[in-house]
Amino acid sequence: DTEVTQTPKHLVMGMTNKKSLKCEQHMGHRAMYWYKQKAKKPPELMFVYSYEKLSINESVPSRFSPECPNSSLLNLHLHALQPEDSALYLCASSQRQAFMNTEAFFGQGTRLTVV
Amino acid sequence: RKEVEQDPGPFNVPEGATVAFNCTYSNSASQSFFWYRQDCRKEPKLLMSVYSSGNEDGRFTAQLNRASQYISLLIRDSKLSDSATYLCVVRSTNDMRFGAGTRLTVKP
């Protein structure tokens, strides 16, 4: 199983809503990532979890709140988003340090629209 | 300065052409390097890892120059199906960062 599964695939939410994006992998990867990708731009790193601990927060606004409840799951909680937060949100996972040359696997992403 | 700089493109080439993409990175502690391909409205997928000795996979050749902090991808005999955005990816201990991506269109 070399899959990263993201749900939902599409999400439309209002600016006052609270929603969560979910990401799951069963490859035993201990590094998991959230990226935000706007149209015609590369993925931008938001958060990195290493061994279920947050290791990088790229100065992301607090309306985005990550959570890693266990080694297979990564959530991104959304609250009071702005229309400019509309984007494709990608989750990825990879082996940790000892296997640096191994690839990262990406989920298909959640296409988020904030109205 | 961005951590990973990449040729902006776009590249529009005829079938059969050879095309090269380049990327530079600023973090000398970077440890792993990759080229990913991303099709429109899809997630990035690994094209190939990049090793210090250079490596080849069919029509694709990747090279790494650690001294110059430079990565390249060469595509020979371009096919229509090679049309996509090519992203260089640089991993260090804690993170994984993308170049801006280069859009390639191969035309008949």
Side-chain angles (χ1 to χ4, degrees):
Chain A
D1 180 9
T2 56
E3 261 194 6
V4 176
T5 303
Q6 285 187 246
T7 55
K9 287 190 168 38
H10 299 275
L11 178 62
V12 179
M13 61 185 288
M15 289 189 282
T16 57
N17 291 160
K18 285 186 181 181
K19 296 285 184 185
S20 296
L21 309 185
K22 296 187 184 303
C23 176
E24 190 168 1
Q25 56 87 16
H26 297 286
M27 294 177 277
H29 290 170
R30 304 306 292 273
M32 295 186 77
Y33 312 78
W34 279 116
Y35 289 86
K36 173 182 177 179
Q37 187 174 25
K38 302 281 276 185
K40 299 186 179 181
K41 296 289 186 184
E44 290 180 20
L45 186 64
M46 299 175 72
F47 302 105
V48 180
Y49 272 83
S50 177
Y51 292 96
E52 296 87 70
K53 287 186 172 27
L54 183 65
S55 61
I56 289 184
N57 176 342
E58 286 289 301
S59 303
V60 179
S62 59
R63 57 186 184 269
F64 296 91
S65 175
E67 178 197 19
C68 191
N70 61 57
S71 60
S72 299
L73 292 174
L74 186 65
N75 298 322
L76 186 62
H77 303 298
L78 314 172
H79 173 54
L81 294 195
Q82 304 295 312
E84 59 265 29
D85 296 322
S86 299
L88 179 68
Y89 288 84
L90 290 161
C91 172
S93 72
S94 67
Q95 296 278 12
R96 194 53 182 96
Q97 290 168 281
F99 304 98
M100 287 296 293
N101 280 323
T102 56
E103 68 183 280
F105 292 84
F106 284 82
Q108 291 185 318
T110 294
R111 196 160 296 279
L112 174 67
T113 303
V114 182
V115 296
Chain B
R1 184 185 170 194
K2 291 183 180 176
E3 290 204 25
V4 184
E5 299 267 11
Q6 185 174 351
D7 275 354
F11 284 60
N12 298 302
V13 303
E15 270 187 291
T18 296
V19 61
F21 304 138
N22 304 310
C23 210
T24 57
Y25 59 96
S26 60
N27 183 357
S28 58
S30 298
Q31 296 172 290
S32 307
F33 310 89
F34 307 89
W35 284 100
Y36 276 73
R37 169 190 171 134
Q38 188 172 24
D39 293 288
C40 190
R41 301 182 72 82
K42 299 283 189 181
E43 75 276 22
K45 292 193 175 174
L46 180 71
L47 179 66
M48 59 197 302
S49 301
V50 188
Y51 301 118
S52 297
S53 54
N55 48 300
E56 189 173 307
D57 181 4
R59 298 181 293 109
F60 300 87
T61 301
Q63 294 198 312
L64 166 64
N65 183 322
R66 284 189 185 269
S68 302
Q69 297 183 193
Y70 171 93
I71 311 157
S72 66
L73 175 68
L74 185 76
I75 305 176
R76 290 181 300 278
D77 189 23
S78 301
K79 311 291 185 194
L80 296 177
S81 57
D82 293 334
S83 297
T85 296
Y86 291 82
L87 298 144
C88 62
V89 176
V90 175
R91 280 190 68 184
S92 57
T93 302
N94 288 319
D95 67 26
M96 182 170 64
R97 296 185 188 269
F98 285 77
T102 304
R103 174 76 194 152
L104 171 66
T105 302
V106 181
K107 299 187 174 180

